[in-house]
Each structure stands twice: as structure tokens, then as C-alpha cells.
Amino acid sequence: MELAKLSSKCQITIPVEIREKLNIKAGDKIIFLEENGRIYLDNPADLAFTRVAQACEGAAAEAGFQSEEDMQSYLTEVRKEVRGY
């Protein structure tokens, strides 16, 4: 657990350990989320990636891909078609 103090301008400094865990640096945006009466902060880019991954979960198996190599091979073939090889 980390502690931060609210300044007279209602600003906080996010402790370095938390910034590292969230993969954020000066100038980055953060998102505040409320869940079950608690407030969380997160890196919006990481959150978006996680939500897309969750939304696509199982789609590869439904499409008939048995492994990541199957999907890579398919993508290689699609690229060849698009490029006209």
C-alpha cells in the first residue's frame, strides 16, 4: 500500500512504485474507475487493450485456429493476397 498527500491545489503525486506498476510517466493520462463503491486508477491504454482482449477471447478457437502459429500462417497468407504476391 502506498500513501499520497493531497496538495492545497487538490493535486497528488503518484508514488514511483505505483507509476511503474501502471506503466505511466509524466504527461500520460490516467483513468479513474468506480467499482463497488471503490475508486481505482489505471492506465487507459492498458485498460483498452485488456478489454479488447477479453472481447475477442475465444474468437480464434471459434474461427478454427488451433494455435498461435495457425493464426500467424493465416495472417501471412492474407498479407500475400493483399499485396498481390
Side-chain angles (χ1 to χ4, degrees):
M1 179 177 6
E2 298 292 331
L3 185 64
K5 184 178 178 182
L6 193 62
S7 75
S8 61
K9 293 184 179 184
C10 293
Q11 298 171 327
I12 62 169
T13 299
I14 301 170
V16 67
E17 294 84 6
I18 303 300
R19 292 193 312 263
E20 288 173 351
K21 287 180 181 179
L22 291 174
N23 192 28
I24 57 175
K25 61 187 181 313
D28 287 350
K29 293 184 178 188
I30 58 172
I31 188 168
F32 292 88
L33 306 162
E34 182 180 1
E35 186 176 296
N36 298 325
R38 301 196 103 164
I39 305 295
Y40 299 92
L41 61 110
D42 206 342
N43 178 330
D46 289 348
L47 181 63
F49 179 79
T50 299
R51 289 194 174 169
V52 167
Q54 289 171 342
C56 294
E57 196 171 295
E62 289 177 19
F65 298 114
Q66 301 297 317
S67 66
E68 186 174 336
E69 290 80 21
D70 289 347
M71 195 175 338
Q72 291 294 336
S73 295
Y74 175 75
L75 291 173
T76 299
E77 292 302 315
V78 169
R79 286 186 191 111
K80 286 180 183 177
E81 287 179 27
V82 169
R83 293 177 181 155
Y85 295 164

